[in-house]
Amino acid sequence: MNQAPRILSIAGSDSSGGAGIQADIKTVTLLGGYAMTAITAITAQNTKGVTAVETLSAAMVAAQIDACISDIGVDAIKIGMLGSAEIAHMVADRLAGVGVPVIFDPVMVSTAGAVLADADTVAAFERLMAIACLTTPNVDELAALGGDEALMAKGIGYIAKGGDAPGETVIDRLVLPGHEPQIWTAPRIETRHTHGTGCTLSSAIATFLGQGAPLAEAIEDARDFVRAALLAAPGFGEGHGPMGHHAVR
């Protein structure tokens, strides 16, 4: 039997379907994985922004994680929006020693500019970065986490995403303790339809790792998937529109 890798996304729900667990489910499924979710928060949002957020209790998030792992099992885990410091600490408790690759996307601000993590939650990210095999900050998130020097000093493995940086070329840097940085470059795709790029990249990396790929290969393939989805964006919405996951084959 050809078993699909079991990927658990611990993240928030995006009512418009472009980011969050909705983007994760699409990504995992299209890449041949079996998607499971532990929803941390419910958001009312669209391409123009987030209009309401309700965070679930840490106990409910824990119950979802336990239900999935205890029965179906898990081959890789992606962590996205957490919603509260209490949830962040609970997730760190639950995943300590889990024994599978963990990808941590330190979601702090949505594509449309809504703040999705307060200072206490960001402080709790330290534990999750220590557990994860890879943290995936964008330009602003990397700065909020203390920058390259802080993460390297703590022995954190991370990919510094360059999609938010200016310039015609996107530069992504993989930094792993004890290794020379690995750099990927690509021409920038000029589009406003970038909603969910970070969610998609992190869940794609998790899926490829769950299939047994080495980390650098998983990142490279995930970047290719994100670029293909950007090029296939359906053009929905008036703001930062969703990507075209459905069209990538």
Side-chain angles (χ1 to χ4, degrees):
M1 181 174 60
N2 185 16
Q3 180 173 300
R6 302 157 296 181
I7 312 300
L8 173 62
S9 170
I10 304 171
S13 169
D14 171 4
S15 57
S16 70
I21 60 162
Q22 286 82 352
D24 294 340
I25 292 170
K26 295 171 189 177
T27 300
V28 172
T29 302
L30 283 167
L31 294 177
Y34 179 79
M36 302 174 287
T37 62
I39 300 172
T40 59
I42 300 168
T43 70
Q45 64 175 292
N46 54 29
T47 67
K48 295 185 287 185
V50 178
T51 55
V53 178
E54 284 195 15
T55 303
L56 276 67
S57 69
M60 184 60 197
V61 180
Q64 294 174 79
I65 294 170
D66 293 346
C68 293
I69 294 178
S70 66
D71 178 35
I72 293 175
V74 66
D75 296 302
I77 297 169
K78 172 261 172 76
I79 304 170
M81 175 189 174
L82 290 167
S84 72
E86 185 181 7
I87 291 174
H89 283 298
M90 178 280 297
V91 170
D93 291 340
R94 279 296 193 280
L95 299 189
V98 71
V100 301
V102 176
I103 305 299
F104 176 40
D105 183 13
V107 178
M108 299 180 192
V109 180
S110 73
T111 302
V115 176
L116 300 176
D118 61 19
D120 289 340
T121 304
V122 174
F125 285 1
E126 296 281 345
R127 296 182 62 199
L128 293 167
M129 290 192 292
I131 290 170
C133 67
L134 185 72
T135 299
T136 64
N138 61 25
V139 172
D140 291 339
E141 290 160 353
L142 179 59
L145 293 170
D148 287 296
E149 287 189 9
L151 294 193
M152 286 191 286
K154 295 168 185 171
I156 303 298
Y158 64 98
I159 181 167
K161 300 181 296 189
D164 294 334
E168 296 180 357
T169 301
V170 175
I171 303 172
D172 297 326
R173 292 182 295 109
L174 172 63
V175 181
L176 298 175
H179 294 79
E180 286 294 314
Q182 185 165 348
I183 296 174
W184 289 271
T185 62
R188 182 175 301 279
I189 297 170
E190 293 295 343
T191 177
R192 65 179 174 87
H193 300 288
T194 57
H195 190 52
T197 46
C199 305
T200 299
L201 180 73
S202 54
S203 56
I205 294 171
T207 304
F208 288 125
L209 290 177
Q211 293 170 341
L215 180 59
E217 180 182 316
I219 291 170
E220 191 163 328
D221 290 344
R223 290 178 75 258
D224 289 344
F225 181 80
V226 170
R227 290 183 66 82
L230 282 168
L231 292 170
F236 297 151
E238 299 175 15
H240 296 282
M243 298 185 294
H245 297 82
H246 63 286
V248 181
R249 292 291 184 268

